[in-house]
Amino acid sequence: MTLSELLPSLGCEAADRLEPGLWPRRTHLGAGGELLFAGAPVSHLAARFGTPTYLIDEAQVREAARAYGRALPEAEVAFAGKALCTRGVLRWIAEEGLSLDTCSAGEIAVARAAGFPAERILLHGNAKTPEDLKAALEYGVGRIVLDSLDEVEQLGSLAHGVQDVLVRVTPGVRGDTHEAVTTGTEGQKFGFSLRSDVRDNVDRAVTAVLAQPSLRLTGLHCHIGSQVSRVDRYEEAARRMIEVLVRVRENHGVALRELDLGGGHAVPYVARDDSFDLTGYARRLRVALAYECSSQDFPMPRLVIEPGRAIVGAAGITVYRVCAVKRGSRTFVAVDGGMSDNPRPSLYGARYTARLIGRHTKAARTPMTVVGRHCEAGDVLAADVYLPDDVHVGDLIAVPCTGAYHHSLASNYNLVSRPPLVSVHDGHATLLVPRETEEDLLRRC
Ligand SMILES: *Cc1c(COP(=O)(O)O)cnc(C)c1O
């Protein structure tokens, strides 16, 4: 139980300020309860672009990208495009000098349309289709991360020149995160196993790749999961991966020069969530790698990391309008979006906070549940959040930390149009992605 649950009046006090660390840095409360987002009044943005709308603070995305460059100047930082993949966003990422993770022909098409340099693109995926592989080869992406023996063969025969590849390893490290986003352990679908009794194991993968004249093995990859806040998990993964590199050198006579440790760095969604200590991560990773390499007499590999959520997550908010307030044993505040623009609560129990914006009220705050408009009881956006008792139809509700895995995970379930994505910079709004129209819907129905 939190302090504000024990003392509801605290919820009222707290209503006069934004929960620290959860809202984008340039988000402030203004006069009359207005929320200012990167210098623009959110009620004006809601009037101009409608609701629900995804807002993203361009400067914060760029700053997050730069923070990685500063923390780990020796590493290649690849933005995991699946977190938020639009041409506009990918242009910022390209301008900030980052590389890009993709995992489908579709994401490669968007990267291509954004003019993202091909040599800085990686292609991932546990089940790449021939179309994915062809799109990658045609654009000439820098590296393809191989995830099965079948894929080694397929890519080997499709590649004409020489394609640089990495092999994805299952390092057996738990990210301590939701099972649906745990990707570094045995018994899930990603990567080659370290167990020699398994057909798709690392040694067989390396043998298979080295036998393909059109593939050049540059290194190994692992990704332990998503929303991981414990730095020791990354140290552990780094140590294990150096051991694997040493074993590859022993068994195959090649000293691979690249080590990709994936992404997954956590972002706080609600007050009790841990945040990710980027500086500590950089320092401890550097020490772990240096120690492990020198004790095993292995040349320090070039480090690649792949943050997605940590670049864009905290830079975005979603703005909804209240459609109905239902009072009973629990008060439900139903808004004009829901699991179509944010499926994360129903997918893996993700928690969010929410606040009333756009007007000032002295009404007491009580716990309410913000729900969506979809035909599923699990369509909850934020449970037990403190909202003013006088919340009513037409009010605006803002939810922070919606920059990652919202636009990219959205559906048009119930044929609800997907929201627009609006970037805001110095008070100026730019429509990056328009709202889905009836015409868009009819093209598919
Ligand atoms: C999803 C994914 C990432 C990024 O994960 P975040 O949690 O957004 O940082 C990085 N690498 C791979 C291979 C992924 O699948």
Side-chain angles (χ1 to χ4, degrees), residues 49-55 407 417-422 431-436:
F49 298 102
T51 51
T53 289
Y54 300 124
L55 302 177
H407 170 272
S417 296
R418 280 172 281 201
L421 175 67
V422 176
L431 185 62
L432 292 183
V433 179
R435 185 181 305 282
E436 217 165 16

Side-chain angles (χ1 to χ4, degrees), residues 51 59 85 106 138 195 237-238 243 272 279 291 300 329 346 385 387 404:
T51 51
C85 191
E138 197 188 303
R195 288 173 44 184
E243 280 170 27
R272 65 171 175 279
T279 316
Y291 177 81
M300 185 76 145
S329 54
S346 44
V385 292
L387 292 174

Side-chain angles (χ1 to χ4, degrees), residues 80 82-83 101 124 168 221 223 225-227 262-265 306-310 405:
K82 69 177 197 257
D101 269 9
H124 284 280
R168 178 162 178 166
H221 168 275
H223 172 67
S226 211
Q227 192 61 2
H265 311 163
E306 309 176 322
R309 188 191 316 271
Y405 303 106

Side-chain angles (χ1 to χ4, degrees), residues 228-440:
V228 179
S229 57
R230 291 184 51 174
V231 170
D232 61 334
R233 298 302 152 116
Y234 289 100
E235 285 178 294
E236 174 76 17
R239 280 195 288 270
R240 293 228 188 149
M241 291 301 282
I242 297 292
E243 280 170 27
V244 184
L245 284 168
V246 169
R247 194 164 109 190
V248 167
R249 181 175 63 181
E250 276 164 14
N251 295 352
H252 305 274
V254 287
L256 301 177
R257 58 185 164 76
E258 270 189 327
L259 176 57
D260 186 335
L261 289 176
H265 311 163
V267 165
Y269 285 79
V270 290
R272 65 171 175 279
D273 284 348
D274 293 326
S275 52
F276 185 74
D277 173 14
L278 177 57
T279 316
Y281 164 83
R283 189 185 62 240
R284 288 168 64 175
L285 207 56
R286 209 174 273 133
V287 171
L289 287 170
Y291 177 81
E292 207 62 30
C293 285
S294 76
S295 64
Q296 306 257 20
D297 195 21
F298 194 86
M300 185 76 145
R302 199 171 73 97
L303 186 62
V304 184
I305 57 169
E306 309 176 322
R309 188 191 316 271
I311 304 279
V312 291
I317 69 170
T318 305
V319 186
Y320 302 94
R321 204 172 283 281
V322 174
C323 292
V325 180
K326 196 177 281 183
R327 298 173 199 274
S329 54
R330 214 179 225 261
T331 301
F332 290 102
V333 177
V335 297
D336 54 1
M339 64 192 292
S340 55
D341 61 83
N342 179 12
R344 296 187 66 258
S346 44
L347 266 181
Y348 24 72
R351 297 293 305 262
Y352 286 84
T353 181
R355 76 156 42 232
L356 173 84
I357 59 162
R359 70 177 173 88
H360 182 68
T361 169
K362 285 195 151 38
R365 263 82 180 158
T366 50
M368 303 185 192
T369 298
V370 180
V371 296
R373 58 177 297 195
H374 296 281
C375 305
E376 307 255 341
D379 177 27
V380 171
L381 286 170
D384 302 322
V385 292
Y386 280 83
L387 292 174
D389 273 337
D390 65 353
V391 60
H392 56 71
V393 172
D395 274 339
L396 291 174
I397 299 279
V399 173
C401 207
T402 67
Y405 303 106
H406 280 240
H407 170 272
S408 61
L409 273 180
S411 74
N412 47 32
Y413 179 43
N414 290 142
L415 297 187
V416 169
S417 296
R418 280 172 281 201
L421 175 67
V422 176
S423 80
V424 186
H425 185 61
D426 279 344
H428 295 288
T430 309
L431 185 62
L432 292 183
V433 179
R435 185 181 305 282
E436 217 165 16
T437 61
E438 193 173 299
E439 204 179 16
D440 294 330

